[in-house]
Amino acid sequence: MSNKCIIKSIAQVSCQQPLSDEWLTSPILYDESYAAAIEPNFKEFINPIEARRLGRVLKRALCTSLSALRQAGLNNPDAIITGTGMGCLENSEKFLLQLAQLGESCLKPTLFMQSTHNTISSLIGINIKCHGYNNTYSQKACSFESALLDAWLQLKAGAIKSVLVGSHDEVTPLFAKILKRNSPDFKLVSETSVASVLVAEESAQPNQIEVENVNILYRPLREELIRHITEPAVVMLGLNGNESNDRHYCELLGKVSGNPIMLHYKPIFGDNFSASAIGFYAATRLLQTGKIPEFMYHSKPAGNVIPSEITLINHYEGNTWSLIKLKKH
Amino acid sequence: MAERVLITGYGIISALGAGIEATLDALKTERSGIDCVKYLETNHRELPVGEVKYSNAKLAKLLNAKYPVSELRTVMLGIIAAKEAVTSAKLSEDDIRNAALISGTTVGGMDFTEKHFNEVLEREADTLETEKMKYNDCGCSTELIADAIGKVKMITTSSTACSSAANAIILGANLIKSGVVDIAIVGGSEALTRFHLNGFNTLMILDKSRCRPFDETRTGINLGEGAAYLILENEKSAHRRGIKALAELKGYGNACDAFHQTASSDNGEGAYRAMSQALMMAQLKPTDIDYINAHGTGTPNNDRSELAAMERIWGASLPKFSSTKAFTGHTTSASGAIESVISILCLQHKFAPANIGWESPIKDFAVPVTQTSTAEIKNIINNSFGFGGNDSSLIFSNIN
Amino acid sequence: METLIETLKNQIIDVLNLEDLKPEDIDAEAPLFGEGLGLDSIDALELIVLMEREYGIKLSNPAEGKEIFKSVASVADYVSKNRKK
């Protein structure tokens, strides 16, 4: 008998108002192709002695994590599992820059210490004194799903009862240039920090959002992918306005039965390696509120839709695919 | 009844040489792979390191690798070890098609990025710059390793510094127990880079002589590099394929020390919890453990903290224990897998490897294995403790 | 010595990212570690780098830092006696 994986709380920092659902009714629209995250009030969560040493991705991760834990009324989860595509990119770049400019002496220890990808997850563990399972995944645009899959499997197996799952990525100006160079049609590149508390329940209560299924597939055949997508009513896609990215979704959806309604989130929240986490957050909010804002539709259907389940589909360069099914009870 | 997780194949490359045989030989003859820097382009030539004794050009030739793989050391080391593991487990294309590949790395393609970072800065964004940064991230390395061994079902990358590979092994085991896959190719790969050699140097925890884990005079680590992979498989699949298991992954634990980003707590809380969890999962008593392959980096802090944690579990009756990092160097993200392979070799060939170079005991604490000794070994704990307090322990047991 | 103390205060604020502090907020005699500013072992490493970069003083053992970095005054004293730049 397997547990149900329920979303207890979720928080975000992005190029929309941080730690807020204001984007649902008044999204900030961007003309530029790069938008930095809007920082929350760090002082509310982090003391100055600690904050002084932390780069932005670390501060954001602490904020969203502590916010999610507060919302869930939980001090100490059984596990902390984190995804990050590029880790503490700013610190890594600064250290590389120092190496290039100063050679191999007089380098700053703090930069190195906080350049490893697991700095984020362990920082949260240290901050809330959590001795539970702690892991970090870095698999490009599938980092969040990797963390989610690990969490989901352990919750369902009963190995843990609660977990803080998150994904965090910053985009430095240099990296933004490179992303833009790779994909000149990019509509928006931005930064993401998402944290969510998931819990194991024997059965789901009404209005609870369940993570019903998580799948990661590498270079799957079309048939393999479709086998994992069971007639969804609503799909949330990682469309980003770049033809070479978007065509994979269109080709896939063309073969999926049921004619699902297609939603997108990257035009609002921007793109980066943790963007699928913000898609997860957005889908959760849509299910909770029962409303889909106009700007989330890839193509608007006739009439209003009250979603009761959403399938999130994400891929990177058509190679690594992830499928997450969320269901409202 | 929980699914058993068997090990049906393994592969390794490190400072001790390429392959299982070379590794076993080095361990038995107490031949260390630590030497001065030969391949990495660094000014710190005085630092002893455990380099794989092949240049990138030689590795590329061995693999018949083309660009970009031929420029990516972490990837090439990973491919060599993963291929050996796949061959040793006699995996067919079909078996691989339904397997997961989970790899641990922190460095990824940083060796390539750091060589070309100057160019990246000097030019405005153009194709050259994009190309040179493209292979930097951890996930990229895992993709390239996967592509070299066949078409796998799913991949991901665990990145928890020095426990990355151990955590990759844990996820692989959980995927098998949950029925997501029957087979998981798990481990890690890490190449030496100026980035982390200098990084560790700024933390002042590198030893200027060969490292001496658990020795009173220890002053730090020697960095190493390498890769290793295990083939994890459930019983049904192993039986169907007619393959004999090398060992069983009987238990594992992952806990957070939650103390400091670069130091372990005095009482080794994370280590204690990780080892305790592993014992509980394996349904073993502490006295059932015959040998501990310690994390034993040779820093004053780690070794003392790890001993404290071991004492909390075993009291005065510590089993045989040693660190093999004076053989291989500290292979960081790959260490969990490299030392797992070493642990399995110990089970198969019934020996406990020496803590080579050890001379003086740490006051009030137990003494490690000082000479390679034959021993009846049924259960081994292998510890991997990463920066940030990411502590993992794996228990490997003899197959009855 | 006065100028050196003032310079050191500014350098310490910069290198340790103590962005909310001004030199006048730091008492030259007050402990830097433990209580006082509450700095830790990583800050000690940063100060070691500062010693080498600005004053050409190489500390090979982090344990040496304990006495030297007791307060800004003790750092100034050590620097004035050992500086190579």
Side-chain angles (χ1 to χ4, degrees):
Chain A
M1 173 69 120
S2 180
N3 291 315
K4 296 213 180 296
C5 170
I6 303 295
I7 301 173
K8 191 93 195 235
S9 68
I10 191 162
Q12 60 85 16
V13 166
S14 64
C15 60
Q16 299 296 323
Q17 288 300 340
L19 304 176
S20 147
D21 299 325
E22 218 175 293
W23 63 274
L24 281 165
T25 46
S26 346
I28 303 168
L29 301 174
Y30 291 91
D31 280 330
E32 315 83 47
S33 55
Y34 168 66
I38 300 176
E39 310 290 9
N41 179 11
F42 293 128
K43 289 198 167 103
E44 206 190 309
F45 295 93
I46 317 169
N47 75 54
I49 291 289
E50 208 181 348
R52 67 185 168 96
R53 187 183 278 161
L54 302 178
R56 277 175 303 200
V57 72
L58 292 170
K59 285 196 278 216
R60 290 173 201 151
L62 254 188
C63 284
T64 50
S65 302
L66 294 174
S67 179
L69 286 167
R70 260 187 216 171
Q71 285 175 47
L74 192 60
N75 285 333
N76 229 291
D78 290 344
I80 299 171
I81 310 179
T82 305
T84 179
M86 295 301 293
C88 302
L89 182 60
E90 193 176 24
N91 279 352
S92 301
E93 265 182 30
K94 281 185 180 162
F95 196 74
L96 273 171
L97 193 60
Q98 279 207 323
L99 265 177
Q101 291 171 339
L102 302 175
E104 295 180 83
S105 62
C106 300
L107 303 164
K108 273 182 84 74
T110 307
L111 290 179
F112 174 69
M113 193 182 92
Q114 292 186 1
S115 66
T116 53
H117 293 56
N118 68 323
T119 307
I120 303 170
S121 209
S122 49
L123 172 69
I124 303 164
I126 291 168
N127 185 283
I128 63 173
K129 305 245 180 309
C130 177
H131 292 295
Y133 179 97
N134 193 306
N135 209 345
T136 300
Y137 293 98
S138 179
Q139 189 58 47
K140 301 192 171 194
C142 196
S143 302
F144 168 66
E145 293 88 320
S146 302
L148 183 66
L149 177 64
D150 186 356
W152 186 78
L153 288 175
Q154 291 197 53
L155 283 170
K156 290 190 83 67
I160 54 175
K161 293 205 180 65
S162 63
V163 54
L164 177 72
V165 180
S167 200
H168 316 274
D169 262 293
E170 59 184 353
V171 178
T172 56
L174 172 63
F175 196 60
K177 261 202 278 181
I178 291 165
L179 278 178
K180 197 178 166 209
R181 187 71 218 169
N182 265 334
S183 320
D185 308 323
F186 252 7
K187 289 294 183 280
L188 182 64
V189 164
S190 185
E191 305 180 287
T192 295
S193 173
V194 170
S196 174
V197 172
L198 308 178
V199 296
E201 307 272 12
E202 271 178 32
S203 54
Q205 302 305 312
N207 294 320
Q208 284 190 324
I209 315 289
E210 179 194 354
V211 181
E212 214 179 55
N213 219 335
V214 183
N215 272 299
I216 296 173
L217 298 165
Y218 185 60
R219 298 191 189 275
L221 300 170
R222 182 67 48 74
E223 306 84 73
E224 261 184 276
L225 260 181
I226 290 176
R227 234 183 294 133
H228 284 97
I229 307 173
T230 44
E231 288 213 13
V234 180
V235 291
M236 179 86 95
L237 306 172
L239 298 157
N240 66 6
N242 180 352
E243 202 274 328
S244 66
N245 170 74
D246 292 356
R247 68 174 174 81
H248 291 283
Y249 293 107
C250 300
E251 283 166 16
L252 174 65
L253 268 297
K255 298 272 188 291
V256 165
S257 56
N259 222 2
I261 292 163
M262 304 200 315
L263 307 179
H264 58 207
Y265 54 93
K266 289 187 184 182
I268 300 302
F269 292 101
D271 206 356
N272 58 72
F273 281 158
S274 282
S276 55
I278 205 92
F280 180 84
Y281 157 80
T284 302
R285 282 291 185 260
L286 299 193
L287 287 169
Q288 284 169 336
T289 58
K291 295 196 187 89
I292 302 177
E294 288 260 337
F295 50 83
M296 299 291 291
Y297 286 105
H298 180 62
S299 51
K300 178 100 175 58
N304 272 332
V305 177
I306 302 174
S308 64
E309 51 179 59
I310 296 179
T311 299
L312 291 117
I313 307 176
N314 184 41
H315 78 82
Y316 187 72
E317 294 185 337
N319 290 333
T320 312
W321 286 81
S322 67
L323 306 159
I324 304 171
K325 185 154 178 216
L326 298 183
K327 177 176 166 172
K328 180 173 184 174
H329 284 261
Chain B
M1 184 69 174
E3 188 82 74
R4 283 177 84 190
V5 178
L6 306 176
I7 293 105
T8 53
Y10 50 6
I12 185 171
I13 181 168
S14 74
L16 301 181
I20 296 291
E21 289 309 316
T23 308
L24 181 62
D25 182 70
L27 290 168
K28 285 196 144 171
T29 56
E30 296 187 10
R31 176 176 45 84
S32 169
I34 303 215
D35 207 341
C36 43
V37 176
K38 282 195 166 62
Y39 301 95
L40 182 68
E41 283 164 32
T42 171
N43 294 334
H44 292 296
R45 302 204 90 72
E46 79 283 5
L47 290 170
V49 289
E51 282 180 303
V52 169
K53 312 288 183 276
Y54 296 111
S55 64
N56 278 2
K58 185 71 200 266
L59 291 172
K61 201 163 182 216
L62 280 171
L63 289 171
N64 202 16
K66 309 265 183 300
Y67 179 89
V69 172
S70 56
E71 299 282 335
L72 298 166
R73 196 170 173 83
T74 298
V75 175
M76 288 197 284
L77 295 175
I79 293 173
I80 290 174
K83 278 192 165 172
E84 187 186 13
V86 162
T87 305
S88 97
K90 302 188 174 62
L91 293 183
S92 68
E93 264 178 37
D94 253 344
D95 295 327
I96 295 173
R97 201 167 289 127
N98 288 307
L101 171 72
I102 320 290
S103 187
T105 191
T106 301
V107 151
M110 184 59 90
D111 59 321
F112 184 58
T113 308
E114 68 188 12
K115 279 191 191 129
H116 299 282
F117 198 64
N118 279 354
E119 300 161 36
V120 166
L121 291 179
E122 277 156 23
R123 293 160 194 261
E124 281 298 301
D126 66 10
T127 47
L128 177 65
E129 178 190 288
T130 309
E131 179 59 25
K132 292 286 154 64
M133 287 291 284
K134 222 163 96 166
Y135 309 107
N136 179 269
D137 67 277
C138 301
C140 179
S141 304
T142 307
E143 284 187 354
L144 292 170
I145 295 168
D147 293 344
I149 61 170
K151 185 200 151 334
V152 298
K153 182 177 174 185
M154 70 160 278
I155 65 171
T156 194
T157 309
S158 171
S159 192
T160 56
C162 311
S163 53
S164 302
N167 285 328
I169 293 170
I170 291 176
L171 178 67
N174 284 343
L175 288 171
I176 288 177
K177 286 182 180 176
S178 306
V180 176
V181 290
D182 292 336
I183 294 170
I185 305 161
V186 294
S189 180
E190 197 106 290
L192 207 52
T193 65
R194 286 167 78 232
F195 190 97
H196 74 285
L197 183 67
N198 280 282
F200 276 92
N201 205 27
T202 66
L203 297 175
M204 301 185 80
I205 51 174
L206 295 180
D207 199 321
K208 294 195 170 33
S209 322
R210 197 176 69 184
C211 64
R212 297 168 302 293
F214 302 116
D215 187 294
E216 183 65 32
T217 66
R218 68 199 187 283
T219 56
I221 71 181
N222 303 144
L223 281 172
E225 61 177 3
Y229 290 89
L230 306 179
I231 310 297
L232 302 183
E233 191 163 3
N234 65 29
E235 264 185 300
K236 200 167 92 193
S237 172
H239 185 74
R240 176 183 57 79
R241 294 194 315 114
I243 186 103
K244 195 162 175 285
L246 305 167
E248 180 179 357
L249 177 62
K250 220 163 171 165
Y252 41 88
N254 168 320
C256 187
D257 199 32
F259 175 71
H260 190 271
Q261 288 287 7
T262 53
S264 305
S265 58
D266 288 338
N267 68 349
E269 185 65 25
Y272 165 76
R273 287 178 185 237
M275 288 189 278
S276 303
Q277 281 174 26
L279 285 165
M280 191 152 76
M281 184 187 288
Q283 295 182 319
L284 292 174
K285 299 186 294 299
T287 45
D288 293 324
I289 300 293
D290 303 301
Y291 166 66
I292 304 174
N293 184 295
H295 188 58
T297 57
T299 64
N301 173 255
N302 173 84
D303 294 359
R304 181 170 281 276
S305 175
E306 188 170 5
L307 280 170
M310 294 195 314
E311 237 182 37
R312 286 169 70 182
I313 296 175
W314 282 278
S317 352
L318 264 177
K320 289 191 192 342
F321 72 95
S322 65
S323 163
T324 47
K325 288 185 167 70
F327 276 103
T328 57
H330 186 357
T331 54
T332 55
S333 299
S335 63
I338 285 178
E339 291 162 24
S340 290
V341 169
I342 291 175
S343 299
I344 294 168
L345 286 173
C346 294
L347 279 174
Q348 290 181 290
H349 298 273
K350 300 189 191 314
F351 72 102
N355 200 101
I356 53 175
W358 185 94
E359 278 178 3
S360 32
I362 303 173
K363 190 162 176 297
D364 299 333
F365 281 109
V367 161
V369 171
T370 52
Q371 274 186 304
T372 321
S373 47
T374 48
E376 194 51 51
I377 301 197
K378 298 204 197 74
N379 301 297
I380 294 182
I381 276 195
N382 173 24
N383 288 338
S384 301
F385 305 143
F387 268 178
N390 280 143
D391 298 339
S392 297
S393 295
L394 309 169
I395 293 180
F396 295 101
S397 303
N398 248 340
I399 277 292
N400 345 4
Chain C
M1 194 62 104
E2 280 289 315
T3 343
L4 179 57
I5 288 186
E6 214 35 43
T7 310
L8 278 169
K9 282 184 183 180
N10 276 304
Q11 287 171 334
I12 288 169
I13 287 172
D14 175 52
V15 124
L16 302 184
N17 248 29
L18 298 162
E19 7 176 74
D20 287 335
L21 286 184
K22 295 189 192 52
E24 49 266 31
D25 297 328
I26 306 177
D27 174 359
E29 302 292 338
L32 286 171
F33 290 81
E35 339 121 48
L37 280 183
L39 307 181
D40 69 7
S41 55
I42 298 297
D43 295 310
L45 290 172
E46 292 289 358
L47 292 178
I48 290 176
V49 172
L50 174 70
M51 291 292 102
E52 186 176 349
R53 200 184 64 231
E54 298 296 332
Y55 303 103
I57 303 170
K58 252 191 152 123
L59 288 164
S60 53
N61 186 352
E64 287 178 65
K66 246 189 154 159
E67 273 309 302
I68 302 166
F69 301 141
K70 260 210 161 103
S71 65
V72 180
S74 61
V75 180
D77 184 59
Y78 185 80
V79 168
S80 59
K81 291 184 178 129
N82 293 282
R83 63 192 299 177
K84 296 188 174 61
K85 288 199 212 170

